[in-house]
Structures are given as structure tokens and as C-alpha cells.
Amino acid sequence: MSDYQARALAHPNIAFIKYWGNRDDALRLPANSSLSMNLAGLHTRTQVRFDPDLEGDRLVFNGKVSQGAALERVSAFLDIVRDMAGQPWRAVVETENNFPSGAGVASSASAFAALALAASTAIGLDLDEAALSRLARRGSGSASRSVPGGYVEWQAGDSDANSYAVSIAPPEHWALADCIAVVSQGHKKVGSTSGHPLAATSPLQAERVAGAPERLAECKTALLERDFARFAEVVEADSDLMHAVMRSSQPPLDYLQPASEAIMAAVKQARAAGLAACYTVDAGPNVHVICSAEDADEVTSRLASMPGVQQMLRATPGGPAQLW
Ligand code: PMV
């Protein structure tokens, strides 16, 4: 590509050990470390072109000019990149997702990982993986985890310099699949940027954070040893704990719908009957069912016929953010 422009692709990720609540909201320094898998099959592609003649930033999302809060968030992020490079130039950002918008798959992770790589490259910065992960974190905490490939740990750290994600195993380490049961296409009532500051109002958050290192260590061991039974227990427990915090915060946040709860119960039951599958749910009602790749067809067909399931999406372990 010619000067001052670059294109990048990044996958969203699903957290097995969740991030909820910050020790510093402005810098997005998380209250606890988290663990995730990048989702191949789903991606954001972003092109950034800095132009000294532009008067303001411009954002085009899925072919449509975007303004308001979305543009402001992108502009604020580009300000960080401009500061790092010592350049004042405004930019045109063109971005698209290959997964349905509003399908409840968190797109801010892939969006800010792709934007961090495209914008930093376009403006002439040559960031290593840790620096790129730190930059992506400033746009959306979970975006820090979409920078390295495969299975990823975001080490919470305690400063901007040491809070970034690293790969703990490549995508081919374990052939898992994420079968996503979409039960709502609607936008979240409360987005995660407004949700994180509420975490501290829950009496359960301190305990969730205190136990996170132990759960993360357990999940990491299970993952590295490909021990699904161990993995499933800690993944579900961690997701349940996050939703308990959300529901007991002031004001309470309840992202789960009756259909979500029915799917979660069915997954638990199926596992008790011998199917290697477990659930995890982010800040929305859609249920991510993690299973081995060979069971993904079976899991998908069982979930597709459940009441309230509008659509099934499927992802497998994905690689790092990359230029294209
Ligand atoms: O990156 P954010 O601010 O959208 O936060 C994501 C939080 C959860 O998706 C609920 C959990 C996680 O670790 O991804």
C-alpha cells in the first residue's frame, strides 16, 4: 500500500476467564487477568488512510458513513496514535465485519485490534506485539486479547506499560469450536464501557477478583493439558460469577434472557450425559457453547432447535491480528 495507509484484519475473541471491572477506567487497566480464544471464521477488516488535507476523521462502517458516538470513540483512539507518532493528521477509517452486526458477538475486540494495527502501521509506527496489544487495550479492554494469536492471556499488570496480552498456545494446540447461539439481534442496553464502572458496586466483585488468579491458573492448566472436563467446570463457574456480579451491581445489569438460561441448563445437562460441551456468556444474551471441533455439528443441531435460537454461528481457534 502507498504511504500513510494500511489494512489489517483481526478476529473477535471469547473469554474463558472473564474481564469485568477496571482498576483504571481511563487507561482500561483491568481488575483481573483474563484468558480467551480468538475466533477464526469471524473477523473485522479495517483500512486506515491518514491525510494531511483532511479537517476531521471519517468513519465508514460496513459501507455506510458513521457519525456520533462511534466516530468519537474512533477519533479518541486515533488521538492516542497521533500522539505516539507526533503527527496531527486526520484519517479515513473504512471497516467491515464479516459477521452480522447486532448478532451480539462483541465486535469491539476485533474492531480495535484491527484499528490499532492498521492505524499504527499507516502512520509509520512499527509496534511490537506487546505495544500493539497495549494500544488496542485503550480502545476496548478485550481488544488487547485479539492482537496475539490462538489462546491468549491478558496479564492485568498495574500500569499502562505492563498491561497487555500474550499467546499461551497457538490455534492448532487444541481443536475447540465455539458454537454461538444467537437469541437476540438487539443492541445491548448497557455497553461494556458503561458496565465496567458498575462492577465495583457489587458486593461480589471483590471476591470474584480475589479468586480470578486461581481460576485462571486452573483454566490455563486444563487448556494446556487439553483436559475438557476440568476446563468446562472452571469456564462455566467464571461466567456465572461475572453474571452474578452484574446482576448484583447498582443499578443491576441482567444480560441473560430466559432463552439464554434454558440453553445454559441444557448444556449442563448434555455434559452430565456425556457430551463434552460447556457454556460461557459475555455482556449480552447470546450463549457461546465451547466443544471439541468434532462435536460441533452435533452441538449446533441440538442448539438450533431450541426455543428462541434465531441463528447459529461457528468459530474455531483464530490467529493474530495481521496486515493484509
Ligand atoms: O472489552 P470490553 O470493554 O468490551 O469488555 C468485555 C467484557 C466481557 O466481554 C463481558 C468479558 C471479556 O473478558 O471479554
Side-chain angles (χ1 to χ4, degrees):
M1 300 218 69
S2 62
D3 282 350
Y4 309 125
Q5 43 182 321
R7 294 186 296 198
L9 174 152
H11 302 293
N13 65 74
I14 181 66
F16 299 143
I17 299 296
K18 306 292 190 187
Y19 148 56
W20 194 245
N22 290 315
R23 57 192 291 161
D24 182 323
D25 285 314
L27 286 173
R28 296 184 197 269
L29 300 179
N32 63 279
S33 298
S34 53
L35 198 82
S36 61
M37 175 180 101
N38 284 350
L39 301 178
L42 311 178
H43 61 243
T44 299
R45 285 179 200 261
T46 299
Q47 174 165 343
V48 177
R49 179 171 58 83
F50 284 95
D51 181 344
D53 296 331
L54 277 177
E55 301 217 330
D57 294 317
R58 202 178 132 87
L59 174 64
V60 181
F61 175 57
N62 284 346
K64 285 198 192 128
V65 174
S66 186
Q67 275 154 343
L71 175 61
E72 277 167 33
R73 189 164 172 187
V74 164
S75 255
F77 182 81
L78 291 174
D79 285 343
I80 300 172
V81 178
R82 284 186 275 259
D83 271 3
M84 288 169 77
Q87 294 292 358
W89 306 324
R90 305 288 126 179
V92 180
V93 175
E94 289 173 79
T95 186
E96 53 186 47
N97 292 339
N98 78 336
F99 48 98
S101 284
V105 176
S107 56
S108 65
S110 52
F112 282 101
L115 182 60
L117 179 54
S120 61
T121 306
I123 211 163
L125 295 167
D126 184 17
L127 303 182
D128 63 17
E129 188 180 89
L132 201 58
S133 173
R134 286 170 49 209
L135 174 61
R137 191 198 78 231
R138 303 289 298 276
S140 172
S142 57
S144 66
R145 298 190 309 242
S146 281
V147 170
Y151 296 91
V152 172
E153 178 179 348
W154 173 14
Q155 295 162 345
D158 57 7
S159 71
D160 176 49
N162 64 12
S163 184
Y164 57 87
V166 296
S167 177
I168 58 164
E172 53 282 3
H173 167 71
W174 200 8
L176 293 181
D178 180 6
C179 304
I180 308 166
V182 177
V183 301
S184 167
Q185 311 260 357
H187 280 283
K188 302 179 198 177
K189 289 168 287 192
V190 178
S192 42
T193 301
S194 331
H196 290 294
L198 299 180
T201 67
S202 163
L204 305 178
Q205 170 72 347
E207 226 163 304
R208 190 193 72 82
V209 169
E214 201 178 318
R215 289 191 303 281
L216 193 145
E218 170 73 6
C219 187
K220 193 168 167 176
T221 303
L223 212 152
L224 293 176
E225 293 177 359
R226 302 185 195 89
D227 181 340
F228 195 88
R230 241 175 120 172
F231 173 80
E233 293 304 316
V234 69
V235 168
E236 287 188 358
D238 191 82
S239 174
D240 290 350
L241 263 173
M242 182 182 73
H243 288 275
V245 166
M246 290 165 159
R247 285 170 149 167
S248 56
S249 66
Q250 291 298 331
L253 293 175
D254 197 351
Y255 290 109
L256 302 175
Q257 292 182 2
S260 329
E261 308 234 35
I263 295 166
M264 291 157 66
V267 168
K268 255 193 199 307
Q269 225 170 31
R271 185 161 75 261
L275 186 70
C278 67
Y279 67 76
T280 184
V281 187
D282 281 341
N286 301 321
V287 184
H288 293 249
V289 181
I290 313 298
C291 62
S292 71
E294 61 199 26
D295 289 338
D297 284 340
E298 164 77 12
V299 168
T300 299
S301 71
R302 284 201 205 185
L303 291 171
S305 63
M306 286 198 62
V309 175
Q310 300 174 357
Q311 189 187 2
M312 291 297 305
L313 298 174
R314 170 116 38 115
T316 51
Q322 56 192 280
L323 295 169
W324 61 282

